[in-house]
Amino acid sequence: MADPSAPPEAARLLAQDPLAAELPRRHMVMNLGPSHPAMHGVVRSRVELDGETIVRIDPEIGFLHRGFEKSCENVTWTQCLPFTDRLNYVSSILNNVGFSLAVEKLCGIDIPERAKYIRVIGGEVHRICDHLTMVGAMALELGAFTAFLYAIEARELLWDRIAEQTGARVTTSYTRIGGIERDLPDGFLVKLGETLTRVSELVEEIDKLLTRNRIFIDRTQNTGVISAEDAIDYGFTGPCLRACGVAYDVRKTHPYLVYDRFDFEVPVGGRGDNFDRYAMRMEEMRQSEKILRQAIAQIPAGPVILDDWRYVLPPKPAVYGTIEGLIAHFKIVMEGIQVPPGDAYAYTEAANGELGWYVVSNGSGRPYKLHVRAPGLPILSSLPHIIEGSLLADLIPTFDSINMIGGEVEQ
Amino acid sequence: MGRFVRMSLLGVLIAAGLCLWAWLGYVAIDWAGSATFELGWGATLGQAAAAIVFLQLLFVMILATLLMVAERKWSAAIQDRIGPNRARLPGLSRFSLGGIPHVLADALKMISKEDFVPAKANRLLFQLAPVANLLPILCLFAIVPMGPPVPVRHAFGVLFASLQIANPDAGLLYLFAIASLAVYGVALAGWASGNKLALLGGVRAASQMVAYEVALGLGLVGMMMTTGTLRLDAMIQSQSAGLFGTSWFPAWGLFVQPVGFLLFFAAAFAETKRTPFDLPEGESEIIGYFLEYSGMKFGMFMMAEFVEIITLSGVVTAVFLGGWHLSPVLDDALASAAASLVAWRFAGPPDPGAAALTLAVFQAALFAVKVIVLCWLQLAIRWTFPRFRYDQVQALGWRFLLPLGLVNVFATGLCLLLDSSLGLLGALGLAEIALVVGATLWSSSRPAALPVAAAGGH
């Protein structure tokens, strides 16, 4: 009895012919990274290619793992701050602010108005820096070197302001529990306004070079697409989620600091592709500038840190001149801030999404446990889902637009 | 102001230098030609040898090395940077000389680097690939006529000296034949390196060059039909007339064949493998087919790129930009200027030979200036655009440039049938230029199609 699924006679004969037999094929497996121009930080991607089509991609993180959470358990709460700088090293003030907010929530303290404004100013400047880096890197890796250098020029200008404000360009450690480390220098706000004008000129220049560039649009539109449902399932937040059409911005939905006093809009995309993720960044830079202009106009005078010696180092005259000051200084330096036992979760809108801080204290002066919800990790984990089946060349804008920052993903 | 004066002075110096180079070239080519003729070897041998020295070694190679610095300086100017200015000449350490000493520094660096051959490479092919890449590209320039033929009277008769190495009747066919050889070097480099990324680069380069070879040819077919010749000097000669019967509007290929110009320029740009067509390199994706090359072998790939730029500029100048011609009126003015210069310099009876030589020197310098302007245009494009994706480049080549080229050939044929005086073709060309410019202006005046919709608060 003939098997109906057997091939017809001619095909069977053809299959026996060694000349007509299909050639053996196998996929090319390639390592991109850990040292590769498109792998930011040090990420290794094991890519399985069929021609130039990506069959499978396996991003491997961990080259930059520093044991952030464990390190924090061994130092006082204040000493955690320099570690937080090194999470998302492009926008460190946003990390500082998030960590401080979590600890302050646990302590139940409210910081002075001026400090809130200064935190917003530093944070928004760093948000612009982060977006500039992402936009510039994307342009660079698509071959538009010029747009990259415009972005870097703008970022340098902002970093100059950050350096004046905090004393450091990259690793700022600017906040303290209960306020910020130092007040703004003289004439800073005027200078910042001028810098912002120049930066927005450069941003518009980049916009002209890229946003309507046919090649750039072809490279980014409809590549690296993720649907809103998938994005939520993976845990997307920030610009990458908003590019899918979900208007979720912590600054709007759960305002912290003084964000409820500013008039700004949350840009939302539609397709969830690389171009939308790029456009989100461009628009958010404009909105951040809007926030900064309002903050510059509204910022009140006053202290920048609490006058509560349980949490804040006393001023030096008090340390040298009074016994109370000396003791408070000694206790904070030696034992650390006595955060009441309990746990707290605080979340802020960092440059790449929701930056969550879960802190647990047992009242010992050091964190008992500390966990960071880095926005980059869930986004990076969706990379195989986004990119498998598309071309190798699409990996580049996709990897750029999700803006994976090694420091925060690998901690 | 000081900068303007300095730049103007530099321009005058460059023009004077080009004139001096052309004059020396003509004299040397004529001398070598007559010398070999008298030896009984024929004038062509000496003329070609001297032309190789003056065109390939002096013009192309010097311009290519200067372009390397020019690219760095010009990209720096685009990008708000200063650009290379650290390398200094001994004794002149106060002057950066526009970064030109970096040519020497780069050459020294490349020569003194380790000549590395990967263990998995095919040794012979790996060594051969840079040569196979550079050689055809150097050969390409042989048919570019840099200056008009000048009759020089000798005891044995009249010799025509011309700033051109070879002038085969096949002309542009030689160009196509040699240009397609260059792909071997790149494909070999990618394959012989024994590196997956380089292999991808080599495959990309091969497919890209095959795809654009067709458009490259079709872009020139229109001009071949219009001028009825394959020889570049004859093409230049037929562009010296005025269009529409005027004497001020030149019948350049650019005006009678704008589509052909666009096709050829785009395709030739793709052949140079520079952004936006730098997929074989794609430094952020696959690093490129020359990934494993170091030292001067890499330098040869780089040199090939710049020589290709110059060759492309030379061919475009000859075929589409009227070669050494401006419009007929300006040509006449240049000729009378040359004649009066000769009359002022050599008092006595008018010497038609000297006047023709002076005019030819001016025209050769004019050709060189056009080449340099086109090189500048290519650098500006290189530093402004992102790169295509692999399939997009293929789609552009096969689905857009190829049909466009075919349509252009048919339209050109039709116009020539109806009106052989180029008037109709010129009108069509101007209409096409107006269409392209209009479409560009229209699309750039529209607001960008951003998907951003403001969602104000919750």
Side-chain angles (χ1 to χ4, degrees):
Chain A
M1 191 170 164
D3 181 2
S5 66
E9 187 61 15
R12 197 179 59 77
L13 283 176
L14 199 63
Q16 284 173 349
D17 180 2
L19 293 178
E22 200 178 333
L23 293 172
R25 289 152 55 102
R26 70 199 153 96
H27 293 153
M28 183 158 81
V29 178
M30 218 163 55
N31 268 317
L32 295 185
S35 170
H36 183 275
M39 298 289 122
H40 302 181
V42 271
V43 190
R44 168 174 176 259
S45 286
R46 188 182 163 281
V47 185
E48 203 175 308
L49 290 176
D50 177 14
E52 285 218 24
T53 311
I54 297 176
V55 181
R56 225 163 66 80
I57 179 168
D58 186 11
E60 181 185 314
I61 62 168
F63 291 93
L64 218 57
H65 180 70
R66 310 175 301 287
F68 165 76
E69 293 177 4
K70 193 70 191 166
S71 307
C72 286
E73 290 170 21
N74 298 323
V75 294
T76 66
W77 290 95
T78 314
Q79 285 169 337
C80 291
L81 272 166
F83 293 143
T84 67
D85 289 338
R86 287 150 179 85
L87 290 174
N88 183 344
Y89 36 72
V90 189
S91 51
S92 44
I93 293 185
L94 289 166
N95 306 331
N96 299 158
V97 170
F99 172 75
S100 305
L101 283 176
V103 181
E104 283 154 12
K105 191 174 176 183
L106 195 52
C107 298
I109 52 179
D110 192 28
I111 66 169
E113 282 286 283
R114 187 174 172 81
K116 287 182 183 170
Y117 274 94
I118 293 177
R119 282 185 181 183
V120 167
I121 288 174
E124 291 303 318
V125 168
H126 253 164
R127 190 187 310 280
I128 298 180
C129 290
D130 199 295
H131 289 350
L132 280 171
T133 312
M134 178 262 148
V135 167
M138 190 162 173
L140 167 70
E141 279 155 24
L142 290 178
F145 196 68
T146 302
F148 167 71
L149 282 173
Y150 288 169
I152 292 304
E153 185 191 341
R155 195 181 74 173
E156 281 302 316
L157 291 171
L158 289 173
W159 273 1
D160 283 349
R161 296 293 85 74
I162 293 282
E164 285 173 8
Q165 186 183 0
T166 71
R169 279 155 48 86
V170 183
T171 49
T172 51
S173 301
Y174 188 46
T175 62
R176 293 288 181 272
I177 313 301
I180 53 168
E181 184 241 340
R182 63 175 93 170
D183 202 348
L184 300 173
D186 290 341
F188 175 80
L189 292 173
V190 178
K191 244 174 143 178
L192 179 63
E194 286 162 7
T195 308
L196 284 175
T197 308
R198 173 72 186 136
V199 167
S200 67
E201 277 170 27
L202 285 164
V203 168
E204 297 312 316
E205 198 84 21
I206 297 169
D207 190 67
K208 276 183 207 153
L209 276 174
L210 295 181
T211 308
R212 297 164 44 165
N213 187 317
R214 191 71 244 166
I215 303 176
F216 183 78
I217 294 174
D218 283 348
R219 285 300 303 271
T220 52
Q221 221 159 52
N222 297 321
T223 63
V225 183
I226 188 165
S227 68
E229 295 75 39
D230 285 348
I232 292 172
D233 286 350
Y234 270 104
F236 273 41
T237 45
C240 292
L241 179 64
R242 293 194 283 276
C244 305
V246 184
Y248 174 71
D249 186 321
V250 182
R251 293 175 295 174
K252 275 280 188 207
T253 50
H254 309 284
Y256 53 96
L257 292 173
V258 286
Y259 276 110
D260 48 351
R261 299 182 201 172
F262 301 126
D263 168 35
F264 67 101
E265 283 164 353
V266 178
V268 173
R271 284 179 296 261
D273 57 8
N274 288 326
F275 185 79
D276 281 11
R277 290 197 276 271
Y278 155 81
M280 290 307 104
R281 262 69 175 222
M282 293 301 283
E283 189 54 34
E284 274 182 34
M285 281 194 267
R286 299 188 184 109
Q287 297 299 331
S288 286
E289 192 203 338
K290 213 167 147 189
I291 296 175
L292 279 167
R293 299 251 180 234
Q294 294 172 55
I296 291 172
Q298 289 177 15
I299 186 167
V304 295
I305 195 157
L306 280 180
D307 187 23
D308 185 340
W309 293 358
R310 287 176 302 162
Y311 301 112
V312 175
L313 282 177
K316 277 289 181 286
V319 177
Y320 296 139
T322 65
I323 187 68
E324 294 83 0
L326 185 64
I327 290 174
H329 184 269
F330 179 82
K331 285 186 81 71
I332 288 182
V333 170
M334 297 308 290
E335 295 170 2
I337 295 165
Q338 300 299 305
V339 176
D343 60 338
Y345 182 72
Y347 48 106
T348 57
E349 181 74 18
N352 290 317
E354 182 177 320
L355 180 68
W357 294 85
Y358 181 61
V359 292
V360 184
S361 169
N362 60 358
S364 72
R366 284 157 201 241
Y368 178 73
K369 172 73 188 140
L370 192 140
H371 174 71
V372 188
R373 183 220 180 269
L377 181 63
I379 300 179
L380 178 71
S381 66
S382 75
L383 187 65
H385 171 75
I386 295 179
I387 206 68
E388 274 173 8
S390 44
L391 289 172
L392 178 65
D394 284 338
L395 175 63
I396 309 305
T398 308
F399 205 87
D400 284 314
S401 70
I402 64 173
N403 199 15
M404 177 263 176
I405 305 261
E408 72 177 7
V409 170
E410 311 183 6
Q411 298 181 9
Chain B
M1 191 61 202
R3 190 178 171 80
F4 179 74
V5 169
R6 278 208 304 277
M7 288 294 138
S8 310
L9 202 63
L10 186 68
V12 170
L13 273 178
I14 289 175
L18 286 172
C19 286
L20 180 67
W21 158 80
W23 182 70
L24 286 175
Y26 272 115
V27 170
I29 287 170
D30 179 55
W31 176 82
S34 62
T36 49
F37 184 84
E38 281 172 353
L39 287 171
W41 298 339
T44 319
L45 180 66
Q47 286 184 337
I52 286 176
V53 171
F54 269 87
L55 295 181
Q56 293 280 27
L57 293 184
L58 284 181
F59 186 74
V60 174
M61 293 313 267
I62 289 184
L63 190 56
T65 42
L66 285 181
L67 267 185
M68 288 187 193
V69 175
E71 167 153 83
R72 292 163 71 181
K73 273 293 193 191
W74 175 244
S75 64
I78 292 178
Q79 296 164 348
D80 284 356
R81 293 186 286 121
I82 297 170
N85 64 352
R86 292 291 108 175
R88 303 282 161 100
L89 292 177
L92 286 172
S93 58
R94 283 184 55 230
F95 305 103
S96 67
L97 299 178
I100 290 173
H102 276 267
V103 171
L104 298 175
D106 284 354
L108 269 181
K109 179 192 76 175
M110 285 190 174
I111 291 168
S112 57
K113 266 187 167 180
E114 184 193 352
D115 187 18
F116 176 75
V117 180
K120 283 192 176 173
N122 182 324
R123 250 194 121 76
L124 174 72
L125 293 181
F126 185 81
Q127 312 264 18
L128 198 64
V131 184
N133 188 39
L134 182 58
L135 202 64
I137 290 168
L138 278 176
C139 292
L140 274 182
F141 201 81
I143 58 155
V144 176
M146 295 274 310
V150 176
V152 184
R153 199 173 295 282
H154 289 279
F156 49 80
V158 175
L159 267 187
F160 279 89
S162 156
L163 282 188
Q164 187 178 16
I165 296 169
N167 191 7
D169 285 337
L172 288 175
L173 298 184
Y174 168 89
L175 179 89
F176 298 150
I178 302 293
S180 38
L181 284 180
V183 70
Y184 285 106
V186 179
L188 278 182
W191 184 77
S193 298
N195 182 310
K196 290 171 183 172
L197 293 164
L199 177 65
L200 282 179
V203 171
R204 280 183 180 191
S207 63
Q208 177 177 325
M209 291 172 95
V210 168
Y212 279 82
E213 210 70 42
V214 188
L216 189 79
L218 280 177
L220 291 179
V221 167
M223 253 337 252
M224 293 177 196
M225 293 163 71
T226 313
T227 57
T229 177
L230 287 172
R231 289 162 57 131
L232 284 170
D233 56 340
M235 278 193 170
I236 294 176
Q237 203 47 50
S238 69
Q239 292 178 64
S240 64
L243 205 56
F244 311 124
T246 64
S247 60
W248 53 270
F249 198 88
W252 287 5
L254 178 63
F255 299 120
V256 291
Q257 281 289 324
V259 175
F261 170 75
L262 277 183
L263 280 171
F264 178 75
F265 196 70
F269 209 105
E271 300 265 315
T272 61
K273 301 184 287 297
R274 285 159 64 79
T275 318
F277 298 102
D278 65 337
L279 301 126
E281 185 179 339
E283 79 280 347
S284 64
E285 304 162 15
I286 55 167
I287 333 294
Y289 55 91
F290 44 59
L291 170 62
E292 295 285 1
Y293 284 90
S294 65
M296 207 55 212
K297 285 210 207 94
F298 171 73
M300 285 169 84
F301 282 114
M302 203 161 108
M303 187 63 108
E305 198 176 298
F306 285 96
V307 172
E308 224 167 356
I309 293 174
I310 297 165
T311 309
L312 161 61
S313 305
V315 174
V316 168
T317 306
V319 180
F320 292 104
L321 293 187
W324 49 75
H325 289 296
L326 297 165
S327 65
V329 181
L330 294 172
D331 280 341
D332 291 344
L334 197 65
S336 60
S340 54
L341 182 70
V342 170
W344 168 72
R345 180 71 182 77
F346 308 103
D351 178 1
L357 180 64
T358 314
L359 178 62
V361 164
F362 283 165
Q363 288 182 327
L366 182 64
F367 191 102
V369 167
K370 284 182 184 175
V371 168
I372 292 171
V373 168
L374 278 172
C375 292
W376 164 83
L377 178 68
Q378 292 181 63
L379 296 195
I381 292 174
R382 157 77 178 83
W383 289 99
T384 317
F385 284 112
R387 92 171 59 82
F388 283 106
R389 201 172 64 198
Y390 178 64
D391 57 329
Q392 289 163 354
V393 151
Q394 296 287 338
L396 180 72
W398 292 113
R399 294 214 195 115
F400 181 69
L401 293 186
L402 178 60
L404 187 68
L406 288 173
V407 169
N408 184 47
V409 168
F410 285 120
T412 307
L414 192 65
C415 286
L416 286 174
L417 266 183
L418 294 176
D419 176 15
S420 59
S421 73
L422 298 189
L424 186 59
L425 201 58
L428 179 70
L430 290 184
E432 284 164 355
I433 293 178
L435 186 72
V436 169
V437 171
T440 310
L441 289 179
W442 175 74
S443 71
S444 61
S445 66
R446 282 185 315 162
L450 278 184
V452 176
H458 278 257

